[in-house]
């Protein structure tokens, strides 16, 4: 009594009767108790109604949320594009809360960036483009940055946000009145963000909105990922479909090509079979036309054959819808003649014909001259026989919708080869039939038979004589025929000394390259073309002969002056330099020519041939593509070379080659660091000879290696006393030695035999030797280094690519060529100084010793010292001398 009294106690609510302040509640009377019970009952009804209304509202909100989720799922599964789906998601979220300003972005951990899929904002107009990726660092310490990194929702005003984030807050973009953002979580990490914001006073977000948005965010992420997966799947399906379509198209193309090849082969067989039939030429050509029509459009088709040695062009078959048939015409400048001259397929449209006509290659004649109306498209290919082009095969079109391409040209070329063979076989068969008919007629006419047989025998003998005296490839006279004509020319000169003649020997330059590159058939074609051009450069009764291979000869029987022969030689070289078409390629030939003038000292043809051959050899040695006139100096030189070769062989047998040694010294103090062994010939009659007087001949006649080994043995034996106090010996090794894989073993065996320490031996090689066969040279030098023999690179800087190849070989030393040392110390030494400095820098970087060759004076020595060079050799320090000279000085 006197305290508060409970009127109603319901779940979630209660009603109390409270006393006035400072008073107590009295015990109620029965009437009051009845009123209190009635009030309690009314409170319970009111609380129940409120609870029921709240439940109905919660159910309505749940149903609304469920409908939104269903709508989101429907959007994800629909065929709408991503933009339309995201716009629909925006509308759905807008039905759940205020979402006029909303953006959705996905986070890519690998690039630490956000890709904004959707962005709608009524205030911030600098919205990112759909699909644009933005580095997360661009939003550093912003609300979106905290959503991704903290992976928890944020809601409220900007001031409330500062208390929610885990660090300092930096605002990016327009400042909102109220902001709500939730992370879209996948596997405990933020995979993206979903944000709504309000710029309007009075519109704020609640905890219910945050819970709804967080729940919706998971489904939005699922919908986006599903749409992206669907897009990737569609892209994969499209790509796979395209690949299958490409494979199917390629397979169809292969099938079509195989069918076309089979059809072409069958057509060629059919054309070949036509040759053996007994049908007339007209029927043969008609069947050929039908066969070609199965391969390409051949509505207008004709065959032209060269006749009368190229004077006329016959048309044994001609079918044309516009131009009348012509039997033949003089060989002129028509498009058919153009194909025959070119010797290759020609594809022309009207513009191409007009261009050729403007250049003068072809001309448009009148029907009276045998020329028809020009077509819109024209395709012609040459007919090739055993002796060259015998005619042409052509198709043409007068319709703009019917044209030809190079595939048709290739196809028609295949057909033309078979047709040409068929034509020649038919001609041979026809000739054989004519011959049989003639023989039968001779049998019937016995009187005439004998005369005809004699005539035939004479023809055969003439032909045999021609074959014996002529080259079968070019049809030119051969060596036997040339000798016969030379003997006549010599006999005529003996009878009439004033009648002079000249013999020219020709050798086609680089002919072996033509044969090796294009094949022997192309090489034969080159020889035939050379023969044709040679014949065009001379007049009767001059003779052009083929001697052997690519060697030709020209006999000028009436050449009163050497200038006449030189003019003919210049004319020949000019004719040969014109480009020639061989094997589908354009080649340019040249020739080396030796000229010998016949005079009284020529006792026989061999003497004339010898002089011409010597002159030819000199022309080739001088660089080819030139002519040389034989004179007494060439004769003497040839004899001197023969004598010198004989003397060299005797010198080897008598051990007349001896080493001279030139010191290699230190530039600073002049101390001897080593010696270079140089060969000298102690000639019994001419005294001491330098290498330049005999080594070129020794190399030419194959004696250089034997001389080297004789020098090596003597040098190793005589150098041992010079090197008692230290130092090394260098010997020069020619490229020929590196062609022998056992060179290193032989050199080491020689050192052992003479008692010379290999560690004091160095071999000098040139840059040309290194680049001749780099792998073999590197292998031999490597084995020598393993045995203690180092290598030096001689004449450095004069080769092909010194700087690019030095590091590839096991070198100990490089020797700077004297051409770079000679200008040093003078007024114009800047270029040489730069080169020498570069070489010294290169050697320093590769840890190589450097020796400067050809030091002749103190100025050069000082210049080299200033640049950092430490060793040198040259006449300034000492000329090459025998070992005894240096022992006496030591």
């Amino acid at each position: 009594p006197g305290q508060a009294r409970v009127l109603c106690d319901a779940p979630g609510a209660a009603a109390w009767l409270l006393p006035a302040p400072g008073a107590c509640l009295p015990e109620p009377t029965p009437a009051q108790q009845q009123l209190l019970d009635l009030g309690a009952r009314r409170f319970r009804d009111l609380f129940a109604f409120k609870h029921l209304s709240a439940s109905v509202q919660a159910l309505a909100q749940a149903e609304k949320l469920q409908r939104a989720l269903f709508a989101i799922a429907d959007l994800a599964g629909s065929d709408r594009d991503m933009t339309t789906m995201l716009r629909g998601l925006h509308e759905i979220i807008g039905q759940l809360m205020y979402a006029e300003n909303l953006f959705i972005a996905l986070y890519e951990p690998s690039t630490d960036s956000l890709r904004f899929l959707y962005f709608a904002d009524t205030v911030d107009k600098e919205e990112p483009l759909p699909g644009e990726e933005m580095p997360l660092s661009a939003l550093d310490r912003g609300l979106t940055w905290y959503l991704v990194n903290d992976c928890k929702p944020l809601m409220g005003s900007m001031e409330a946000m500062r208390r929610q984030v885990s660090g300092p807050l930096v605002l990016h973009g327009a400042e909102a009145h109220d902001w709500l953002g939730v992370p879209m979580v996948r596997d405990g990490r933020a995979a993206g963000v979903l944000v709504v914001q309000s710029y309007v006073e009075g519109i704020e977000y609640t905890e219910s909105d945050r819970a709804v948005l967080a729940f919706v965010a998971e489904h939005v992420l699922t919908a986006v990922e599903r749409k992206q997966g669907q897009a990737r799947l569609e892209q994969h399906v499209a790509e796979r479909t395209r690949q299958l379509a490409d494979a199917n198209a390629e397979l169809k193309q292969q099938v079509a090509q195989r069918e076309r090849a089979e059809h072409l082969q069958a057509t060629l067989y059919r054309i070949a079979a036509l040759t053996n039939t007994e049908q007339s030429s007209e029927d043969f050509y008609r069947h050929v036309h039908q066969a070609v029509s199965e391969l390409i459009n051949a509505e207008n088709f004709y065959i032209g054959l060269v006749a009368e040695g190229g004077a006329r062009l016959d048309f044994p078959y001609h079918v044309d819808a516009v131009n009348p048939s012509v039997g033949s015409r003089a060989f002129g400048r028509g498009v058919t003649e153009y194909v025959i001259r070119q010797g290759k397929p020609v594809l022309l449209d009207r513009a191409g014909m007009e261009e050729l006509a403007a250049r003068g290659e072809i001309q448009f004649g009148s029907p009276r001259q045998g020329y028809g109306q020009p077509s819109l498209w024209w395709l012609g290919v040459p007919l090739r026989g055993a002796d060259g082009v015998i005619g042409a095969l052509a198709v043409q079109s007068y319709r703009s919708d019917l044209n030809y391409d190079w595939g048709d040209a290739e196809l028609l070329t295949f057909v033309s080869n078979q047709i040409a063979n068929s034509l020649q076989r038919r001609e041979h068969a026809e000739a054989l039939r004519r011959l049989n008919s003639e023989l039968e007629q001779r049998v019937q006419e016995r009187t005439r038979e004998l005369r005809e047989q004699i005539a035939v025998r004479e023809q055969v003998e003439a032909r045999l004589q021609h074959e014996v005296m002529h080259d079968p490839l070019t049809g030119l006279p051969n060596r036997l025929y040339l000798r016969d004509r030379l003997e006549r020319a010599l006999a005529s000169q003996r009878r009439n000394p004033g009648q002079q003649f000249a013999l020219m020997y020709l050798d086609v330059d680089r002919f072996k390259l033509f044969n090796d590159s294009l094949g022997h058939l192309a090489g034969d074609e080159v020889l035939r073309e050379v023969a044709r051009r040679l014949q065009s450069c001379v007049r009767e009764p001059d003779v052009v002969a083929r001697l052997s291979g690519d060697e030709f000869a020209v006999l000028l029987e009436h050449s009163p002056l050497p200038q006449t022969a030189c003019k003919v030689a210049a004319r020949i070289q000019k004719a040969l330099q014109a480009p020639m078409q061989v094997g589908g390629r354009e080649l340019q030939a040249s020739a080396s020519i030796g000229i010998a003038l016949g005079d009284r000292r020529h006792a026989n043809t061999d003497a004339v041939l010898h002089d011409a051959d010597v002159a030819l050899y000199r022309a080739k040695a001088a660089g080819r593509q030139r002519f040389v006139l034989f004179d007494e100096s060439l004769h003497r030189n040839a004899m001197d070379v023969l004598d010198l070769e004989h003397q060299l062989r005797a010198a080897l047998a008598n051990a007349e080659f001896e080493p001279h040694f030139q010191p290699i010294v230190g530039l600073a103090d002049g101390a001897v660091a080593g010696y270079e062994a140089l060969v000298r010939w102690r000639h019994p009659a001419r005294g001491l000879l330098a290498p330049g007087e005999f080594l070129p001949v020794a190399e030419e006649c194959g004696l250089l290696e034997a001389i080297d080994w004789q020098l090596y043995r003597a040098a190793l034996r005589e150098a041992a006393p010079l090197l008692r106090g230290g130092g090394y010996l260098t010997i020069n090794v020619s490229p020929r030695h590196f062609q022998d894989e056992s060179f290193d073993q032989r050199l080491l065996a020689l050192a052992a035999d003479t008692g010379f320490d290999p560690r004091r031996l160095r071999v000098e090689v040139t840059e040309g030797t290194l680049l001749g066969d780099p792998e073999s040279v590197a292998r031999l030098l490597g084995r020598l280094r393993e045995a203690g023999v180092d290598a030096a690179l001689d004449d450095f800087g004069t080769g092909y690519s010194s700087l690019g190849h030095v590091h590839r070989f096991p070198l100990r030393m490089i020797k700077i060529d004297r051409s770079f040392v000679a200008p040093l110390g003078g007024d114009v030494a800047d270029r040489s100084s730069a080169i020498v400095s570069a070489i010294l820098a290169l050697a320093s970087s590769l840890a190589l010793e450097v020796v400067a060759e050809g030091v002749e004076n103190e100025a050069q020595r000082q210049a080299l010292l200033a640049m950092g060079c430490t060793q040198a050799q040259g006449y300034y320090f000492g000329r090459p001398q025998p070992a005894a000279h240096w022992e006496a000085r030591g």
Side-chain angles (χ1 to χ4, degrees):
Q3 298 180 351
R5 184 174 300 162
V6 178
L7 293 178
C8 177
D9 188 4
W16 296 76
L17 181 63
L18 301 176
C24 295
L25 290 177
E27 285 293 331
T29 64
Q32 291 174 336
Q33 185 63 46
Q34 185 177 5
L35 288 175
L36 289 175
D37 292 340
L38 180 60
R41 191 164 51 250
R42 292 295 293 169
F43 273 118
R44 281 195 297 272
D45 292 342
L46 180 61
F47 291 156
F49 178 76
K50 286 291 185 180
H51 181 70
L52 183 60
S53 297
S55 298
V56 170
Q57 187 177 1
L59 289 174
Q61 183 68 19
E63 183 180 3
K64 187 176 181 180
L65 179 59
Q66 188 175 18
R67 284 198 303 271
L69 297 179
F70 283 149
I72 292 174
D74 289 341
L75 281 176
S78 67
D79 56 355
R80 301 180 185 180
D81 57 22
M82 180 67 78
T83 302
T84 305
M85 186 196 77
L86 292 173
R87 192 178 296 116
L89 289 176
H90 186 185
E91 294 176 358
I92 293 170
I93 295 173
Q95 296 171 7
L96 300 176
M97 65 189 70
Y98 177 77
E100 187 174 3
N101 307 292
L102 176 142
F103 69 83
I104 301 174
L106 295 181
Y107 173 65
E108 179 56 49
S110 60
T111 59
D112 193 27
S113 62
L114 284 176
R115 183 160 58 91
F116 287 86
L117 300 179
Y118 185 80
F119 190 95
D121 198 290
T122 59
V123 175
D124 193 351
K125 299 304 182 183
E126 297 182 1
E127 61 182 55
L129 297 175
E132 177 183 358
E133 286 198 9
M134 179 184 296
L136 191 59
S137 58
L139 303 173
D140 188 39
R141 302 298 175 180
L143 293 173
T144 306
W145 187 88
Y146 280 110
L147 276 181
V148 173
N149 284 279
D150 294 347
C151 196
K152 65 180 182 178
L154 296 173
M155 184 185 73
S157 63
M158 295 301 106
E159 188 62 32
M161 294 293 187
R162 297 182 189 279
R163 296 191 297 271
Q164 296 178 35
V165 297
S166 59
L169 179 62
V170 179
L171 296 181
H172 298 276
E175 182 174 353
H177 171 69
D178 206 51
W179 199 88
L180 172 59
V182 295
M184 295 189 290
V185 181
R186 179 70 69 219
D187 297 330
R189 295 183 179 181
V193 296
L194 176 59
V195 176
V196 294
Q197 48 191 337
S198 169
Y199 298 101
V200 181
E201 293 283 345
I203 299 180
E204 299 175 348
Y205 298 102
T206 65
E207 289 295 333
S208 175
D209 293 334
R210 181 170 66 176
V212 170
L213 194 62
F215 187 67
V216 170
E218 296 182 7
H219 292 78
V220 170
L221 178 60
T222 302
V224 169
E225 290 178 342
R226 182 176 179 184
K227 182 59 70 175
Q228 288 180 333
Q230 181 181 357
R232 286 193 295 269
L233 179 60
E234 291 175 354
Q235 183 180 1
H236 177 73
V237 170
E239 178 67 20
R240 185 58 180 163
T241 302
R242 186 190 62 78
Q243 292 176 355
L244 292 175
D246 292 345
N248 187 39
E250 183 179 359
L251 182 59
K252 287 182 178 179
Q253 185 179 6
Q254 292 177 356
V255 171
Q257 289 177 350
R258 178 167 296 180
E259 290 177 349
R260 187 178 184 186
E262 291 176 353
H263 190 190
L264 174 61
Q265 190 67 39
T267 302
L268 295 179
Y269 283 147
R270 198 167 68 191
I271 293 174
L274 292 174
T275 308
N276 301 320
T277 61
E278 297 296 329
Q279 59 186 346
S280 64
S281 296
E282 180 66 24
D283 292 337
F284 169 74
Y285 290 129
R286 187 172 63 256
H287 284 99
V288 167
H289 184 192
Q290 293 173 356
V292 173
S293 298
E294 295 179 8
L295 300 175
I296 61 175
N297 186 285
E299 179 183 358
N300 307 293
F301 172 88
Y302 66 85
I303 297 174
L305 299 177
V306 178
E308 298 181 9
R312 296 196 63 78
L313 188 63
D314 291 343
F315 294 92
Y317 186 80
H318 186 282
V319 174
D320 198 285
V322 175
N323 294 310
S325 176
V326 292
S328 65
R329 69 171 183 236
F331 198 92
R333 307 293 292 181
V335 66
T336 307
E337 290 91 331
Y338 178 74
V339 171
I340 295 173
R341 290 197 306 271
Q342 294 294 315
K344 61 182 182 180
V346 174
L347 174 62
L348 296 171
D349 55 7
R350 178 64 66 85
M353 296 182 195
E354 292 174 353
E355 181 182 351
L356 288 179
R359 298 207 313 258
E361 297 286 351
I362 65 173
Q363 65 182 14
F364 298 124
S366 64
R368 183 173 54 82
Q369 297 173 311
Y371 297 92
Q373 175 184 338
S375 58
L376 296 179
W377 288 90
W378 192 91
L379 172 61
V381 297
L383 293 172
R384 296 186 179 276
D387 298 324
V389 178
I390 63 173
L393 178 70
V395 293
Q396 51 189 341
S397 168
Y398 301 96
R399 295 161 45 186
S400 59
D401 61 334
L402 178 59
N403 54 21
Y404 302 103
D405 56 26
W406 285 110
D408 298 328
E410 183 179 5
L411 194 62
L412 200 60
T413 300
F414 288 141
V415 175
S416 69
N417 294 333
Q418 189 62 49
I419 291 176
N421 294 334
S422 300
L423 288 175
Q424 290 197 322
R425 286 198 295 268
R426 287 183 66 85
E427 288 181 1
H428 294 160
E430 185 65 26
L432 183 59
R433 284 193 293 270
R434 287 196 302 269
L435 181 59
N436 290 334
S437 177
E438 291 173 2
L439 289 176
E440 290 176 359
Q441 187 176 359
R442 293 191 191 101
V443 171
Q444 296 174 1
E445 302 173 0
R446 299 182 62 86
T447 303
R448 294 177 55 191
E449 179 182 4
L450 182 60
R451 290 196 299 269
E452 291 178 358
Q453 286 179 351
I454 293 174
V456 170
R457 181 174 298 175
E458 290 175 348
Q459 292 176 1
V460 170
E461 290 176 353
R463 186 167 62 252
L464 289 175
Q465 184 178 7
H466 181 275
E467 292 176 355
V468 169
M469 304 289 282
H470 288 75
D471 172 57
L473 176 64
T474 62
L476 294 177
N478 58 17
R479 185 183 293 272
L480 186 61
Y481 185 97
L482 179 66
R483 291 180 67 90
D484 181 70
R485 291 293 293 268
L486 269 176
E487 288 177 357
R488 295 183 190 180
L490 284 171
S492 177
Q493 189 182 58
R494 294 188 191 102
R495 292 192 300 270
N496 182 11
Q499 184 174 345
Q500 296 184 344
F501 67 92
L503 177 66
M504 292 191 290
Y505 251 25
L506 292 89
D507 189 38
V508 180
D509 297 332
R510 302 181 304 123
F511 178 73
K512 186 176 184 300
L513 177 62
F514 297 156
N515 258 349
D516 295 343
S517 302
L518 303 178
H520 290 283
L521 292 179
D524 292 345
E525 186 64 25
V526 171
L527 293 177
R528 283 193 288 266
E529 180 63 18
V530 169
R532 187 188 66 78
R533 297 188 184 187
L534 289 177
Q535 287 179 305
S536 68
C537 294
V538 299
R539 296 169 295 183
E540 291 289 336
D542 299 333
V543 177
V544 178
R546 181 189 177 208
L547 304 184
S548 64
D550 60 331
E551 293 184 357
F552 294 83
V554 177
L555 176 62
L556 306 176
E557 292 196 3
H558 299 287
S559 180
L561 296 173
Q563 291 82 348
T564 304
C566 293
K567 288 181 180 179
V568 175
R571 187 161 64 242
I572 289 173
Q573 288 187 329
K574 182 177 180 181
L576 292 181
Q577 288 173 359
M580 61 178 68
Q581 295 292 333
V582 176
R585 300 185 64 173
E586 183 177 276
L587 304 180
Q588 190 168 6
S590 62
S592 301
I593 305 175
I595 306 173
L597 300 177
D599 56 29
R600 295 180 180 179
R601 66 181 180 81
H602 292 125
N604 50 42
T605 58
D606 290 331
V608 182
L609 293 170
H610 173 267
D611 289 353
D613 190 40
V614 170
L616 172 61
Y617 177 82
R618 180 55 59 91
K620 292 168 67 175
R624 304 178 184 273
Q625 198 173 348
R626 64 190 67 227
F627 62 87
V628 171
L629 188 66
F630 183 87
D631 55 17
E632 282 300 324
S633 64
L634 292 181
H635 179 71
R636 287 194 300 271
N637 289 340
M639 296 304 297
D640 289 344
V641 169
L642 291 175
D643 292 339
L644 188 59
E645 179 181 351
H646 177 73
Q647 294 172 17
L648 284 171
R649 297 186 186 277
L652 276 171
N654 298 328
E656 295 173 1
F657 299 101
E658 61 185 42
H660 279 209
F661 300 87
Q662 186 176 31
I664 301 172
V665 304
L667 281 172
D669 54 6
V672 175
Y675 293 89
E676 179 181 357
L678 301 169
V679 66
R680 296 292 185 269
W681 181 8
R682 185 70 64 179
H683 195 281
R686 299 169 59 187
L688 191 66
L689 299 182
E693 298 179 79
F694 59 92
L695 283 186
V697 175
E699 183 174 9
E700 183 178 330
C701 62
L703 299 178
L704 181 60
E705 292 177 78
I707 293 174
D708 281 345
W709 285 112
Q710 191 172 103
L711 173 72
Y712 296 162
R713 178 174 291 277
L716 295 182
R717 185 175 58 249
E718 296 178 20
L722 296 177
L723 304 179
R724 289 194 186 98
Y728 53 84
L729 174 69
T730 70
I731 59 174
N732 292 283
V733 181
S734 70
R736 290 178 177 268
H737 290 293
F738 288 95
Q739 297 175 7
D740 181 7
E741 280 291 332
S742 63
F743 168 74
D744 57 326
Q745 301 174 10
R746 186 175 179 184
L747 182 63
L748 294 172
L750 179 62
D753 186 43
T754 57
F756 192 89
D757 186 0
R759 292 171 296 180
R760 295 182 179 272
L761 180 62
R762 297 184 183 182
V763 294
E764 290 192 21
V765 296
T766 62
E767 295 178 52
T769 301
L770 297 183
L771 301 181
D773 185 359
E775 289 76 15
S776 177
V777 173
R779 190 166 53 251
L780 283 171
L781 292 181
R783 294 202 297 264
L784 285 172
R785 166 165 281 190
E786 292 175 0
V789 179
D790 289 320
L793 180 57
D794 196 12
D795 300 334
F796 184 76
T798 62
Y800 302 97
S801 54
S802 309
L803 301 180
H805 288 83
V806 165
H807 69 281
R808 296 176 52 191
F809 300 92
L811 301 175
R812 174 72 177 275
M813 171 194 295
I814 57 177
K815 303 182 76 173
I816 303 175
D817 187 74
R818 63 182 66 249
S819 62
F820 301 119
V821 176
L824 297 180
D827 296 331
V828 289
D830 291 344
R831 183 177 178 87
S832 294
S833 297
I835 295 175
V836 172
S837 297
I839 294 174
L840 290 170
L842 171 67
S844 177
S845 65
L846 297 177
L848 297 175
E849 298 177 18
V850 179
V851 175
E853 294 182 300
V855 178
E856 305 286 348
N857 52 56
E858 178 63 19
Q860 293 171 350
R861 187 183 80 88
Q862 292 295 337
L864 289 169
L865 271 174
M867 285 186 283
C869 185
T870 59
Q871 298 184 70
Q873 70 181 99
Y875 290 167
Y876 183 73
F877 306 107
R879 294 177 178 270
Q881 298 290 345
H885 170 83
W886 301 112
E887 286 185 65
R889 290 187 56 178

